[in-house]
C-alpha cells in the first residue's frame, strides 16, 4: 500500500510539475511576444514621425532657401515635391510656401531665376489664396495678408507698364488679378474703381467686348468716370451685339447725367445712326436744348432727324438755328447746302421730264435759284475745312451749272478744278511713296 501511495504521489508530482512548466513557458512566450509587438509599434511610430518630419522638411527648407534668394530653383523643386506627398499635399503651409517661392522668383533680380516659372506673380497669388482658404487654424493668414499688400501693388505696376507698351492682354490680366487681391478680407471690401475702368479699357483695346462691358459696368456701378463710362459701356454692348443693353445703358446714363453733353450726344447719335426711329431722339434733344440753349450741336442733330423724317423745311430752320449759335459748324453748313442742292437736282429732274417748253424753262430757273442758295453754305464749309474734297466736288458741279448765269462762276469753276487736280496729284505722289 505504501508503495502505491508513493507511486501516486510521484505521479501527481509529475503531473503537477509538468503543468507548472507549461504555464511558465507560456507566460515567457507571451511576454516576449508583447515586447516584440511593442517594439514594432514604437518602431512604426518612430518611422511615421520621421517620415512626417521628412515630408514637412521639404516645405520648411523651401521657405528657408527662398528667404535668402540664393537657391530658388531648389526651393521650387522642394515645394513642388511637397505638394505631391500624402503628408503635405493637404497642408496649408505647403501652399503658403509655394506662394512665397513664386513671389521670390518674381522679385529676384538674378537672370538665372527669371525663367524658372511662367507668370510667377500669378502663381504666387493662386497659391497664397489656396493656403488662405485651407488655413482653418489661421496659422499663416497673417503672413499671407502681408504678402497680399505686395501682390496688389505688383499687379498694378505690371498692368500699367504693359498698357504703356500696348500689351493689352497682359495689362488686362494684371488689372484683373489686382482686383482679385483687393477682394481679400485684409482689404476690407476695398473698391478699386480706377482699376476696374482700366481693365475695361484694356479689354476694349483687345476687342474683348464682353469683358470690356463687364468691367465698365463695375466702374459705372460706383460712379467712376461719369457719363464717359456709360458711353463706353454702351459701345461695348453694341460691339458685343447686345443692342437692348446698349439702349438701356444710354437711358440710364442720361437719367444720371442729364446735363452731360457727351451723354446727350451719344444718345442722339444712337437714334440717328443705329435705329430706324430717329424721331425718338427728339425728346432727348428738347431736354438738351432746355439745359444748353446755346449749344449748336443739338440744333444740328435736330435738323438731321427732321431731314431723315422728310420734314425738309423744319430741317432748314434747325440748321439755321445751329449756325446762328456757331457760324463755323461744318456739319450744319454742309448739310444745309446739300438740302438746297438736292432741291435743285429734283427740279432739274422734273424739268427734264416735261415736254412743255415754258414749264421746262420755269423749272430750270427754279433749280438754278436753289443751286445759288446752296453756294454760300458750301463756300463757308470749304473755308472751315479747306481740304474737304466732297465740298469741292459739289462746288465744282454748282459753278459749272451756273457758268452761263454769271461769268464769276466760270472763274470759280477753274479755280476749284485746279485745286482738286492739285490735291489728286499730291495724293498719287503720297501713295507712290508708300509703295
Amino acid at each position: 500500500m505504501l508503495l502505491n501511495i508513493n507511486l501516486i504521489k510521484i505521479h501527481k508530482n509529475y503531473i503537477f510539475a509538468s503543468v507548472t512548466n507549461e504555464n511558465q513557458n507560456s507566460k515567457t512566450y507571451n511576454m516576449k511576444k508583447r515586447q516584440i509587438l511593442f517594439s514594432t509599434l514604437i518602431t512604426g511610430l518612430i518611422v511615421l514621425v520621421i517620415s512626417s518630419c521628412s515630408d514637412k522638411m521639404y516645405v520648411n527648407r523651401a521657405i528657408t532657401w527662398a528667404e535668402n534668394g540664393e537657391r530658388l530653383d531648389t526651393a521650387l523643386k522642394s515645394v513642388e515635391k511637397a505638394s505631391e506627398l500624402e503628408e503635405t499635399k493637404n497642408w496649408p503651409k505647403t501652399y503658403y510656401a509655394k506662394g512665397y517661392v513664386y513671389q521670390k522668383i518674381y522679385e529676384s533680380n538674378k537672370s538665372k531665376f527669371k525663367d524658372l516659372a511662367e507668370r510667377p506673380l500669378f502663381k504666387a497669388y493662386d497659391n497664397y489664396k489656396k493656403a488662405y482658404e485651407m488655413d482653418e487654424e489661421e496659422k499663416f493668414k497673417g503672413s499671407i495678408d502681408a504678402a497680399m499688400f505686395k501682390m496688389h501693388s505688383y499687379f498694378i505696376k505690371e498692368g500699367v507698364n504693359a498698357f504703356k507698351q500696348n500689351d493689352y492682354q497682359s495689362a488686362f490680366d494684371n488689372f484683373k488679378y489686382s482686383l482679385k487681391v483687393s477682394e481679400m478680407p485684409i482689404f476690407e471690401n476695398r473698391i478699386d474703381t480706377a482699376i476696374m475702368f482700366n481693365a475695361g479699357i484694356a479689354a476694349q483695346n483687345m476687342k474683348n467686348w464682353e469683358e470690356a462691358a463687364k468691367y465698365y459696368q463695375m466702374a459705372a456701378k460706383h460712379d467712376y468716370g461719369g457719363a464717359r463710362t456709360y458711353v463706353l459701356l454702351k459701345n461695348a454692348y453694341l460691339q458685343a451685339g447686345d443692342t437692348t443693353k446698349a439702349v438701356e445703358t444710354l437711358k440710364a446714363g442720361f437719367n444720371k447725367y442729364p446735363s452731360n453733353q457727351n451723354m446727350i450726344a451719344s444718345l442722339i447719335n444712337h437714334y440717328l445712326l443705329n435705329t430706324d426711329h430717329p424721331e425718338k431722339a427728339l425728346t432727348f434733344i428738347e431736354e438738351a436744348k432746355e439745359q444748353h440753349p446755346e449749344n449748336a450741336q443739338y440744333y444740328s442733330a435736330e435738323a438731321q432727324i427732321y431731314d431723315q423724317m422728310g420734314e425738309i423745311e423744319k430741317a432748314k430752320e434747325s440748321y439755321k438755328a445751329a449756325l446762328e449759335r456757331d457760324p463755323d459748324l461744318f456739319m450744319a453748313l454742309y448739310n444745309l447746302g446739300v438740302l438746297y442742292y438736292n432741291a435743285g437736282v429734283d427740279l432739274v429732274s422734273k424739268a427734264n421730264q416735261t415736254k412743255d417748253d415754258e414749264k421746262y424753262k420755269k423749272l430750270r430757273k427754279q433749280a438754278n435759284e436753289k443751286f445759288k442758295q446752296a453756294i454760300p453754305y458750301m463756300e463757308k464749309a470749304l473755308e472751315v475745312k479747306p481740304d474737304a474734297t466732297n465740298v469741292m466736288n459739289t462746288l465744282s458741279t454748282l459753278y459749272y451749272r451756273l457758268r452761263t448765269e454769271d461769268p464769276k462762276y466760270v472763274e470759280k469753276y477753274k479755280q476749284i478744278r485746279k485745286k482738286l487736280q492739285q490735291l489728286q496729284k499730291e495724293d498719287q505722289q503720297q501713295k507712290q511713296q508708300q509703295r
Side-chain angles (χ1 to χ4, degrees), residues 23-120:
N23 287 338
Q24 288 174 346
N25 290 339
S26 176
K27 287 179 180 180
T28 303
Y29 174 77
N30 287 335
M31 286 177 67
K32 288 180 178 178
K33 187 175 181 182
R34 286 182 189 134
Q35 287 174 347
I36 291 168
L37 287 171
F38 183 73
S39 178
T40 302
L41 180 60
I42 291 298
T43 303
L45 286 171
I46 291 169
V47 170
L48 185 61
V49 170
I50 291 172
S51 174
S52 175
C53 291
S54 178
D55 288 354
K56 290 184 177 181
M57 199 176 295
Y58 284 107
V59 175
N60 295 326
R61 285 179 175 174
I63 293 173
T64 301
W65 287 324
E67 281 176 345
N68 60 40
E70 293 297 328
R71 300 178 62 184
L72 292 175
D73 49 350
T74 309
L76 182 59
K77 289 176 183 177
S78 183
V79 78
E80 284 179 343
K81 176 70 175 176
S83 63
E84 297 172 358
L85 296 171
E86 285 297 323
E87 187 65 27
T88 49
K89 70 179 183 181
N90 294 315
W91 190 28
K93 191 173 182 179
T94 300
Y95 299 96
Y96 164 72
K98 206 168 186 179
Y100 185 67
V101 171
Y102 279 122
Q103 179 184 336
K104 288 298 181 180
I105 291 171
Y106 166 77
E107 292 173 345
S108 178
N109 293 322
K110 296 180 179 179
S111 57
K112 64 179 180 179
F113 297 138
K114 287 299 180 184
D115 297 327
L116 272 181
E118 291 184 6
R119 292 159 60 98

Side-chain angles (χ1 to χ4, degrees), residues 330 334 378-395 416 418-424 426-427 430:
F330 176 82
Y334 178 73
M378 288 294 176
E379 288 180 338
K380 180 63 177 178
L382 190 60
E383 285 181 26
V384 175
K385 288 191 177 181
D387 294 330
T389 54
N390 57 336
V391 179
M392 291 184 210
N393 284 318
T394 304
L395 281 171
I416 204 76
K418 184 178 179 180
K419 189 172 182 179
L420 275 169
Q421 289 168 0
Q422 181 62 32
L423 285 174
Q424 289 171 355
E426 291 174 0
D427 185 54
Q430 188 175 4

